[in-house]
Amino acid sequence: MNLHEYQAKDLLAARGVAIPRGAVCYEPLEAVITARHLKSEVVVLKAQAHSGGRGKAGGVAIVSREDDIRARAAAIIGKRLVTRQTGAQGLPVAAILVEEVLPVDQELYLGVILDRNTARVTIMASPAGGMEIETLAREHPDKIFTVSVHPFIGLKPYQARGLAYRLTDDRNIAGEIVKVITTLYEIFVGYDCTLTEINPLVITGDRVVALDAKVNIDDHALFRHPEMGRLRDRTQEDLLELSARKEGLSYIKLDGNIGCIVNGAGLAMATLDLIALHHGAPANFLDVGGGASEQAIADAMSILLEDKRVKAVFINIFGGILRCDVLARGVIKALNRYGARLPVIARIEGTNIDIGKQLFEDSGLPIQMIPSLDEAAKLAVEAAQAA
Amino acid sequence: MNLHEYQAKDLLAARGVAIPRGAVCYEPLEAVITARHLKSEVVVLKAQAHSGGRGKAGGVAIVSREDDIRARAAAIIGKRLVTRQTGAQGLPVAAILVEEVLPVDQELYLGVILDRNTARVTIMASPAGGMEIETLAREHPDKIFTVSVHPFIGLKPYQARGLAYRLTDDRNIAGEIVKVITTLYEIFVGYDCTLTEINPLVITGDRVVALDAKVNIDDHALFRHPEMGRLRDRTQEDLLELSARKEGLSYIKLDGNIGCIVNGAGLAMATLDLIALHHGAPANFLDVGGGASEQAIADAMSILLEDKRVKAVFINIFGGILRCDVLARGVIKALNRYGARLPVIARIEGTNIDIGKQLFEDSGLPIQMIPSLDEAAKLAVEAAQAA
Amino acid sequence: MAILVNKESRVICQGITGKNGTFHSLACRDYGTNMVGGVTPGKQGEYVDGIPVFNTVWAAVKETGANVSLIFVPAAHAMDPILEAVDAGIEVIVCITEGIPPLDTACALHTVREEGRRLIGPNTPGVISPPERCKVGIMPGYIHKPGPVGVISRSGTLTYEVVDQLTKAGVGQSTCIGLGGDPVVGMSFVDVLKLFKDDPATEAVVLIGEIGGAAEEQAAKYIKQEFNKPVVAYIAGRLAPPGKRMGHAGAIISGGTGTAQEKIRALSEAGATVIDNLTQVGAVMQKILG
Amino acid sequence: MAILVNKESRVICQGITGKNGTFHSLACRDYGTNMVGGVTPGKQGEYVDGIPVFNTVWAAVKETGANVSLIFVPAAHAMDPILEAVDAGIEVIVCITEGIPPLDTACALHTVREEGRRLIGPNTPGVISPPERCKVGIMPGYIHKPGPVGVISRSGTLTYEVVDQLTKAGVGQSTCIGLGGDPVVGMSFVDVLKLFKDDPATEAVVLIGEIGGAAEEQAAKYIKQEFNKPVVAYIAGRLAPPGKRMGHAGAIISGGTGTAQEKIRALSEAGATVIDNLTQVGAVMQKILG
């Protein structure tokens, strides 16, 4: 789960990290008033949407006192922001962050991640802030300094100090950076984040200020941070993905026309790959998981049947914990409700396979059962193309 | 620093550990009223003093409704409690804890210490509570179960569970014990204790209740627990020891008549031993420490000169960080103020020894300087005996 | 011989009295696994279809000599039983639980490594050695067949698919291991490859990877430098869009790294036979073993 | 040769710009110690009488190749510099600071041991090797004299007293180590005895113990079983009343254990020459060495 920039900055500010003066605004008029109150020659308007690359996509505007701030704000608020990360449909922008623009002496980078290899929280710092960490890693790997945090000891002051003095020689600035690093780390472990990042952290005079901030929280740990769950902005997530998650399904919309139902994330990914290999295009990734109930299967099926883009349905199940009879009952339930308007190709295998097959046969529904996975995928592609 | 039983119980109760109903009472009448409110057939009156063995010393009284509670309370409150730990003068008792008496199914022992050998916090539990842990360790070492806590990981639930199921097979009781162990550990590390102990923890029906509790806090860590410092009961400490601590000195009153001033705890202990070897009796342990100032030395000297029991003063200094000239100035200052009524034997060695000697000689005070430590100790003993 | 578990393994189940714990403990025993006990605090003295239950892992180990543990406990408290197993001396810990917060796994894993134990998972189907009739996990036992191929995978049903193909092609398995689908897991491809290298029962290996992380690239490096048996590899997730988590917590492409293309290239260069079409894995392996 | 420190040791001081740090860094250098740098965050580029100052131990180690550190920092923050020294690769850490909360020391010590380093102290005068002209601590250098006797002690001035006696009796020292007066300290008597055992420069050892804890009893056990050089021992605190802390945080008799009598008996039984009269230590050692 991602937080908006303003939410991330609120977390930082509440812990004493300096952020630019400003406010989040939901109406163009609010932006005008906020800008006036800031008494700043220049202010910045930043679209609040869960995507990087907002600047290049027109989601960030630097405006001066003389500009028509209301018009500039209106050009962002209420529109959809299309960046290279969002796909063609973009993301809705309900609010902008209006902030003072500060003189910048130096732009720094600070980020905290969980390193999969070492299984340790790792803090990254760079004196070359402002560009994305991936670009930085590619172009200036020598300018990224890291410390690895012992999982039980936690971040020690000397580690934060060690990083700070790689970024500056100034004792006071270093002291400020130590505080920011410590805070960013505390937010990371305190809220089970997958990423906390300040980019850039700027040195302006004798202060350091977080100009932008990212806080992404691991969904698996939200149960112990209910207050963070309440910060979730559902407008930034796909409706179908949301409703699937409510049913305990894992669903991701793709651009094709073959609806897929698979159990297990790995097999689901492999199924997409197999469809592509046969020159088909999957409409979705859908993992019903190991312990899905008949109702969850019916819900999964319904999601596909409601999707106007879907021209054929491909069911690929290797029953383990999930029994094939449970699967068959769920599929039949949904098809009976929505009507069998689409070709359905099913390849089922594993636990209770015989009962599952029998249920399909007895249902009288036009479900094609194909034992060979390869054949089944080929057939699904052909069915979708024929439709 | 030690807490009173009622203070230790307050800490436990605030964290959800059950303690007997009751209240601390400063007047016999208060005890009567409290006992009445408890609506208990039998109540216990417990002297609040920093010593073990209160029961055997008459500091604990079990009284019934019919007894003259006021008289029983008056026999404890305001008196001095002499136990085998307090020395002949005993400790003042300003208050008693008046508590209900509970039916006891089983008495357990729980204690937390820092094990010097492993440098780990160690939790001790025993199904044979009620007796002192030293007795238990001597008589039933097989009935003491311990777990050692990783300093960075902290106490894990499975460890507390492991101990709890050595004490009981009952799932609910075990769950309660786990909570008590966890709380006792949290108090230990949360307040930098040297000991936290519940003895006995009793099983009474389906509850576990802390009948007695001890919390001793490390003086070196009090700086980070100012709220605990405020719980210190100075009436339980020797006045001279208190005033010495205020000056940064380490002073302990002993029963003899030779006042000692030494730098360094080890040398100070060795000096006492040396005096004893020559059949003398030291009046005190006094370590002026490594970095003592002239004033601190003068204060230390004053403490001895004010002590009516002291018949001779023995100064044993091996100057390292503490310079002999600083020492000499401090001693001279105090002697000039109080008058040289006592024989003073000085053995000084180390940094700036020559200046120190010269200062003593020039002072005109009757200070005997003896270069040999053995000789000096012998002379101090003789001087005290002659007085 | 087999790696990690065998017919001598003495297996307990932490959480045996829960629904999943009971079901799979019995399924493992049915397959042939030497299930010697289970742990549920407060239930010592009870039995699960003849399997004795203990209050603590410590007690279970003392009474049964257990050295392998299968963990089914809620994700919110999964760190504790892993640490308990380590403390009690368990050598191989198989954690089925999914949805454990990764920072908890990271903490537990630190202790596991420090004490020189093995953690399989979390979020894994477990490990099975058909020649030893030993299954410690939730995979359907009947699709397996004893034989010379080691299988390592980050995914559950995808592994079953591959195992099923192998078995139908007449190719049996020595040991099959699910590493687990989380971003942080105990054993890595390299850890398992090292064991397969020294395992006389294993003649070839199927490696089933997926997008996210760099575990496959590290495996490729190890295969190139040290591994001396044929490897057939398949990587799932070529169609996955960057930034989207594909079901598995681990399966996410971030910042241009962790793509299927990179992994396929690395494995190919290392000499592995990388298969594009999942359905061909069994046939290819059959051919390699001749 | 000497143990722990020698003329090759490259020593830094953490807290060098503080009053004590500066004074003792220069005193060590005057004695002959190879003081290569100091650490005070924010003061990199400055010099303390020619000794370069660095922001971090990491930077100091990188620039100077330091392998020994002398720590003077306030007790409230002393855990951090110890961990920093370990992280930067320092092998021998001498922590002079007194009054560190014991739980902090216990935490730092865990990491020191895990990484295989040596911590002397805290609350120690430090370590000195007269034959190597290397002093890392606050003891007065001039009372020492090169020679064959190793000295181990839990106490500061008591050590000076004994060293002074040895020197005046014409008996020099190989290495003198203060273990520190806190209840939890880095090196123990046994740790140092093991080093003395293998040190050809050490022919005999003076062991100066005191009440509290069981370190002397453990030393006795080791001496009995493994140590092969003469040991002269002295135990301070025979008059100490139980339950009273005798200055040192470590010097407290609790629950009838840690008494001088127990320690004296254990050491005597182990074959050490236990001296009752402190002032005789020098003379006895002189006699033993003949």
Side-chain angles (χ1 to χ4, degrees):
Chain A
M1 172 195 145
N2 298 346
L3 296 191
H4 282 299
E5 175 190 2
Y6 78 90
Q7 295 168 325
K9 280 180 170 168
D10 281 352
L11 288 181
L12 288 167
R15 287 159 182 79
V17 173
I19 59 172
R21 291 180 305 124
V24 61
C25 301
Y26 297 85
E27 300 285 345
L29 186 57
E30 236 184 319
V32 174
I33 296 167
T34 300
R36 196 174 300 150
H37 281 171
L38 286 176
K39 295 190 170 64
S40 179
E41 273 305 310
V42 191
V43 299
V44 61
L45 316 179
K46 305 177 82 176
Q48 297 302 290
H50 289 175
S51 174
R54 289 174 297 167
K56 283 177 193 149
V60 177
I62 294 184
V63 298
S64 77
R65 214 180 257 265
E66 289 74 31
D67 287 337
D68 184 346
I69 292 179
R70 188 162 182 171
R72 298 293 295 273
I76 305 176
I77 297 175
K79 302 292 186 296
R80 291 187 82 87
L81 183 71
V82 179
T83 75
R84 57 179 170 68
Q85 288 182 11
T86 58
Q89 62 201 16
L91 286 171
V93 178
I96 56 174
L97 185 55
V98 179
E99 286 182 338
E100 65 178 335
V101 171
L102 295 165
V104 171
D105 299 327
Q106 198 187 344
E107 292 190 317
L108 311 174
Y109 172 89
L110 292 181
V112 185
I113 56 156
L114 175 60
D115 183 314
R116 290 160 174 241
N117 291 334
T118 59
R120 286 189 178 210
V121 174
T122 299
I123 303 181
M124 302 176 290
S126 174
M131 66 179 96
E132 280 177 34
I133 184 68
E134 291 84 6
T135 315
L136 195 56
R138 209 164 43 239
E139 297 179 8
H140 304 288
D142 55 310
K143 281 194 184 159
I144 300 178
F145 306 107
T146 61
V147 298
S148 167
V149 181
H150 189 291
F152 291 115
I153 300 180
L155 179 69
K156 301 309 292 181
Y158 80 86
Q159 296 180 301
R161 233 167 31 230
L163 285 178
Y165 281 110
R166 306 300 293 261
L167 306 182
T168 181
D169 285 327
D170 183 293
R171 184 176 199 162
N172 293 324
I173 295 288
E176 293 301 310
I177 294 173
V178 163
K179 279 186 222 159
V180 178
I181 290 173
T182 308
T183 304
L184 205 59
Y185 167 79
E186 284 169 356
I187 291 173
F188 187 93
V189 297
Y191 292 115
D192 285 284
C193 295
T194 55
L195 171 72
T196 57
E197 187 181 75
I198 298 177
N199 188 20
L201 177 75
V202 299
I203 301 178
T204 170
D206 57 355
R207 300 167 65 215
V208 301
V209 180
L211 280 208
D212 199 354
K214 241 186 230 166
V215 170
N216 298 348
I217 298 174
D218 197 292
D219 286 327
H220 283 151
L222 270 179
F223 71 88
R224 55 186 175 200
H225 313 292
E227 74 282 20
M228 288 292 116
R230 285 191 286 274
L231 296 182
R232 185 188 285 274
D233 180 356
R234 300 187 187 283
T235 70
Q236 302 293 307
E237 302 176 46
D238 187 90
L239 272 179
L240 280 178
E241 294 181 17
L242 270 176
S243 76
R245 184 167 50 228
K246 249 190 334 212
E247 312 298 337
L249 308 168
S250 178
Y251 174 93
I252 294 167
K253 196 187 240 180
L254 300 170
D255 290 331
N257 56 7
I258 303 174
C260 301
I261 289 193
V262 192
N263 66 329
L267 190 57
M269 284 190 274
T271 304
L272 307 188
D273 294 344
L274 192 58
I275 289 172
L277 211 63
H278 292 301
H279 310 293
N284 65 278
F285 167 97
L286 200 167
D287 168 18
V288 296
S293 66
E294 183 183 318
Q295 187 55 47
I297 300 285
D299 290 337
M301 195 68 191
S302 304
I303 287 171
L304 302 193
L305 295 174
E306 278 176 6
D307 188 341
K308 297 280 171 285
R309 307 168 307 148
V310 170
K311 305 297 176 205
V313 173
F314 181 30
I315 299 172
N316 182 19
I317 296 293
F318 203 109
I321 307 185
L322 173 61
R323 286 152 25 207
C324 292
D325 56 323
V326 172
L327 170 95
R329 284 198 186 88
V331 168
I332 292 166
K333 190 171 179 178
L335 284 174
N336 281 335
R337 179 151 35 121
Y338 284 85
R341 65 165 184 94
L342 294 176
V344 177
I345 292 89
R347 181 271 185 163
I348 60 176
E349 191 61 75
T351 314
N352 289 4
I353 164 79
D354 296 332
I355 314 178
K357 275 187 185 161
Q358 196 61 48
L359 284 166
F360 275 162
E361 276 164 23
D362 296 351
S363 72
L365 290 162
I367 299 168
Q368 298 181 64
M369 271 178 295
I370 312 290
S372 153
L373 175 55
D374 206 29
E375 285 303 310
K378 218 179 286 179
L379 208 65
V381 172
E382 286 166 12
Q385 279 162 354
Chain B
M1 171 195 144
N2 298 346
L3 296 192
H4 281 299
E5 175 190 1
Y6 76 90
Q7 295 168 326
K9 281 181 171 169
D10 282 352
L11 289 180
L12 288 168
R15 287 161 183 77
V17 173
I19 59 172
R21 291 179 307 123
V24 61
C25 301
Y26 296 86
E27 300 285 347
L29 186 56
E30 236 183 319
V32 174
I33 296 167
T34 300
R36 196 173 301 154
H37 281 172
L38 285 177
K39 294 188 172 61
S40 179
E41 274 305 309
V42 190
V43 299
V44 62
L45 316 179
K46 304 176 83 176
Q48 297 300 291
H50 289 174
S51 174
R54 287 174 298 167
K56 283 177 193 149
V60 177
I62 294 185
V63 297
S64 78
R65 216 181 255 269
E66 289 73 33
D67 287 337
D68 184 347
I69 293 180
R70 188 162 182 171
R72 299 293 294 272
I76 305 177
I77 297 175
K79 305 291 186 296
R80 293 186 80 87
L81 182 72
V82 179
T83 76
R84 58 180 168 66
Q85 286 182 11
T86 58
Q89 61 199 15
L91 286 170
V93 178
I96 57 174
L97 185 56
V98 179
E99 286 181 337
E100 65 178 334
V101 171
L102 295 165
V104 171
D105 299 327
Q106 198 188 345
E107 292 189 318
L108 311 174
Y109 173 89
L110 292 181
V112 185
I113 54 156
L114 175 61
D115 183 312
R116 290 163 175 238
N117 291 333
T118 59
R120 287 189 177 210
V121 174
T122 299
I123 302 181
M124 302 175 291
S126 175
M131 66 179 97
E132 279 177 36
I133 183 69
E134 291 84 6
T135 315
L136 195 55
R138 208 166 40 239
E139 297 179 8
H140 304 288
D142 54 311
K143 283 194 185 159
I144 301 178
F145 306 106
T146 62
V147 297
S148 167
V149 181
H150 189 291
F152 291 115
I153 299 179
L155 178 70
K156 301 309 294 182
Y158 81 85
Q159 296 181 302
R161 241 175 15 238
L163 286 177
Y165 281 110
R166 306 301 293 262
L167 305 182
T168 182
D169 284 326
D170 183 290
R171 185 176 198 164
N172 292 325
I173 296 288
E176 293 301 309
I177 294 173
V178 163
K179 280 187 223 157
V180 178
I181 290 173
T182 307
T183 304
L184 207 58
Y185 167 79
E186 283 169 357
I187 291 173
F188 187 93
V189 297
Y191 293 116
D192 285 283
C193 294
T194 56
L195 171 73
T196 57
E197 187 181 75
I198 299 178
N199 189 19
L201 177 75
V202 300
I203 302 179
T204 171
D206 58 354
R207 298 166 66 215
V208 301
V209 180
L211 281 206
D212 199 354
K214 242 186 228 167
V215 170
N216 298 347
I217 299 174
D218 197 293
D219 287 327
H220 283 151
L222 271 179
F223 70 90
R224 52 187 176 200
H225 312 294
E227 74 281 23
M228 288 293 117
R230 284 191 288 274
L231 296 182
R232 185 188 285 276
D233 179 357
R234 298 187 188 284
T235 70
Q236 302 292 308
E237 302 177 45
D238 187 272
L239 272 180
L240 280 177
E241 293 180 19
L242 270 176
S243 78
R245 185 167 51 229
K246 252 193 327 216
E247 312 298 336
L249 308 169
S250 177
Y251 174 94
I252 293 168
K253 197 187 241 183
L254 300 171
D255 291 330
N257 57 7
I258 303 174
C260 301
I261 290 192
V262 192
N263 65 329
L267 190 57
M269 283 190 274
T271 303
L272 306 188
D273 293 343
L274 192 59
I275 288 172
L277 211 65
H278 290 302
H279 311 293
N284 64 282
F285 167 96
L286 201 166
D287 167 17
V288 297
S293 65
E294 184 183 319
Q295 188 57 46
I297 301 287
D299 290 337
M301 195 68 192
S302 304
I303 287 172
L304 302 194
L305 295 174
E306 278 176 5
D307 186 341
K308 296 281 171 285
R309 307 168 307 147
V310 170
K311 303 299 174 205
V313 173
F314 181 31
I315 299 173
N316 181 19
I317 297 292
F318 203 110
I321 307 184
L322 172 63
R323 287 155 22 212
C324 292
D325 55 325
V326 172
L327 169 95
R329 283 198 188 88
V331 169
I332 291 166
K333 192 171 176 177
L335 284 174
N336 281 334
R337 181 149 36 116
Y338 284 85
R341 67 167 182 93
L342 295 176
V344 177
I345 292 90
R347 183 273 188 164
I348 61 177
E349 190 60 75
T351 314
N352 287 4
I353 163 79
D354 295 332
I355 313 179
K357 275 186 185 164
Q358 195 63 48
L359 283 166
F360 275 161
E361 275 164 24
D362 296 352
S363 72
L365 291 163
I367 301 167
Q368 298 180 66
M369 273 178 293
I370 312 290
S372 153
L373 174 54
D374 205 30
E375 285 302 309
K378 214 176 291 178
L379 208 64
V381 171
E382 287 166 12
Q385 281 162 351
Chain C
M1 263 302 292
I3 68 169
L4 294 164
V5 296
N6 57 42
K7 60 170 91 70
E8 311 297 328
S9 297
R10 302 179 68 79
V11 183
I12 55 169
C13 174
Q14 291 175 253
I16 192 168
T17 58
K19 194 182 144 205
N20 287 327
T22 298
F23 179 83
H24 288 290
S25 291
L26 300 182
C28 288
R29 191 180 59 179
D30 287 349
Y31 185 77
T33 307
N34 186 17
M35 292 299 304
V36 297
V39 174
T40 298
K43 302 220 169 164
Q44 188 150 331
E46 296 183 14
Y47 289 84
V48 169
D49 199 27
I51 303 173
V53 181
F54 299 91
N55 284 332
T56 62
V57 180
W58 194 87
V61 167
K62 195 177 165 204
E63 296 300 321
T64 68
N67 56 3
V68 175
S69 179
L70 177 65
I71 299 184
F72 290 93
V73 293
H77 307 107
M79 170 155 58
D80 196 53
I82 297 176
L83 294 179
E84 182 177 8
V86 171
D87 200 4
I90 296 290
E91 287 156 24
V92 174
I93 300 161
V94 179
C95 184
I96 306 298
T97 307
E98 73 179 300
I100 299 178
L103 288 179
D104 289 6
T105 306
C107 282
L109 182 54
H110 174 83
T111 300
V112 168
R113 287 181 179 162
E114 198 171 59
E115 299 292 325
R117 314 304 169 77
R118 301 285 190 180
L119 173 66
I120 299 175
N123 192 10
T124 172
V127 56
I128 183 169
S129 281
E132 303 279 329
R133 298 304 296 172
C134 184
K135 163 177 123 129
V136 184
I138 60 172
M139 62 287 284
Y142 73 91
I143 60 172
H144 298 80
K145 166 192 159 92
V149 174
V151 178
I152 328 173
S153 168
R154 282 166 68 183
S155 168
T157 47
L158 186 49
T159 319
Y160 310 163
E161 172 65 39
V162 167
V163 166
D164 190 53
Q165 282 181 32
L166 289 170
T167 296
K168 284 178 177 159
V171 179
Q173 305 90 43
S174 56
T175 307
C176 307
I177 295 148
L179 302 177
D182 283 358
V184 176
V185 291
M187 294 189 78
S188 68
F189 285 116
V190 173
D191 292 334
V192 179
L193 285 170
K194 283 180 183 169
L195 299 180
F196 276 144
K197 188 185 175 200
D198 297 332
D199 176 30
T202 302
E203 292 170 25
V205 168
V206 175
L207 184 156
I208 305 164
E210 62 185 38
I211 53 163
E216 292 81 2
E217 286 86 338
Q218 287 156 1
K221 200 173 157 198
Y222 176 76
I223 289 167
K224 191 169 188 174
Q225 292 174 350
E226 315 230 359
F227 200 66
N228 50 1
K229 302 180 183 181
V231 176
V232 172
Y234 173 80
I235 302 294
R238 267 175 296 175
L239 276 201
K244 291 279 187 185
R245 188 190 271 190
M246 282 294 198
H248 281 172
I252 183 169
I253 301 171
S254 50
T257 66
T259 65
Q261 285 70 24
E262 290 171 286
K263 293 172 192 302
I264 290 168
R265 186 170 54 241
L267 285 162
S268 299
E269 282 173 9
T273 307
V274 185
I275 312 286
D276 280 350
N277 185 327
L278 168 67
T279 65
Q280 303 309 308
V281 172
V284 171
M285 184 52 92
Q286 188 187 32
K287 217 171 186 179
I288 286 176
L289 292 176
Chain D
M1 266 302 291
I3 67 168
L4 295 164
V5 296
N6 58 43
K7 60 169 92 68
E8 311 297 327
S9 298
R10 302 178 67 77
V11 184
I12 56 168
C13 174
Q14 289 174 255
I16 193 170
T17 59
K19 194 181 144 205
N20 287 328
T22 297
F23 179 82
H24 288 290
S25 291
L26 301 182
C28 288
R29 190 179 60 179
D30 287 349
Y31 185 78
T33 307
N34 186 16
M35 292 298 306
V36 297
V39 174
T40 298
K43 301 222 169 162
Q44 189 150 333
E46 296 184 13
Y47 290 84
V48 170
D49 199 27
I51 302 172
V53 181
F54 300 91
N55 284 334
T56 62
V57 179
W58 196 88
V61 167
K62 195 177 165 203
E63 295 299 322
T64 69
N67 56 2
V68 175
S69 179
L70 177 64
I71 298 183
F72 289 93
V73 294
H77 307 106
M79 171 156 53
D80 196 54
I82 296 175
L83 294 178
E84 181 177 8
V86 170
D87 200 4
I90 296 290
E91 289 156 23
V92 174
I93 300 161
V94 179
C95 184
I96 305 298
T97 307
E98 71 179 303
I100 299 177
L103 289 180
D104 289 7
T105 304
C107 283
L109 183 54
H110 174 84
T111 300
V112 167
R113 287 182 179 162
E114 198 171 58
E115 300 291 326
R117 314 304 170 78
R118 301 285 190 179
L119 173 65
I120 300 175
N123 192 11
T124 172
V127 54
I128 182 169
S129 282
E132 302 281 326
R133 297 306 293 172
C134 184
K135 162 175 123 127
V136 183
I138 61 172
M139 63 287 283
Y142 72 92
I143 61 171
H144 297 81
K145 168 191 157 97
V149 174
V151 178
I152 328 173
S153 168
R154 282 168 67 185
S155 167
T157 47
L158 186 50
T159 320
Y160 310 162
E161 172 67 37
V162 167
V163 167
D164 190 55
Q165 283 180 33
L166 289 169
T167 297
K168 284 179 175 159
V171 179
Q173 305 90 41
S174 55
T175 307
C176 307
I177 295 148
L179 302 177
D182 284 359
V184 176
V185 291
M187 294 189 78
S188 68
F189 283 116
V190 173
D191 292 332
V192 179
L193 285 170
K194 283 180 181 168
L195 298 180
F196 276 143
K197 187 184 176 200
D198 296 330
D199 177 30
T202 301
E203 293 170 24
V205 168
V206 175
L207 185 156
I208 305 164
E210 63 185 37
I211 53 164
E216 291 80 1
E217 285 86 339
Q218 287 156 1
K221 200 172 159 198
Y222 176 77
I223 290 168
K224 192 169 188 173
Q225 292 172 350
E226 315 231 359
F227 200 66
N228 52 1
K229 300 179 183 183
V231 175
V232 172
Y234 174 79
I235 303 293
R238 269 175 293 174
L239 276 201
K244 291 280 187 184
R245 189 190 268 188
M246 282 295 198
H248 281 173
I252 184 169
I253 299 171
S254 50
T257 66
T259 65
Q261 285 69 23
E262 289 173 285
K263 294 171 191 301
I264 289 168
R265 187 172 48 241
L267 285 162
S268 298
E269 283 172 8
T273 307
V274 184
I275 311 286
D276 280 350
N277 185 327
L278 167 69
T279 65
Q280 303 307 310
V281 173
V284 170
M285 183 53 92
Q286 188 187 33
K287 218 170 183 177
I288 285 175
L289 291 176

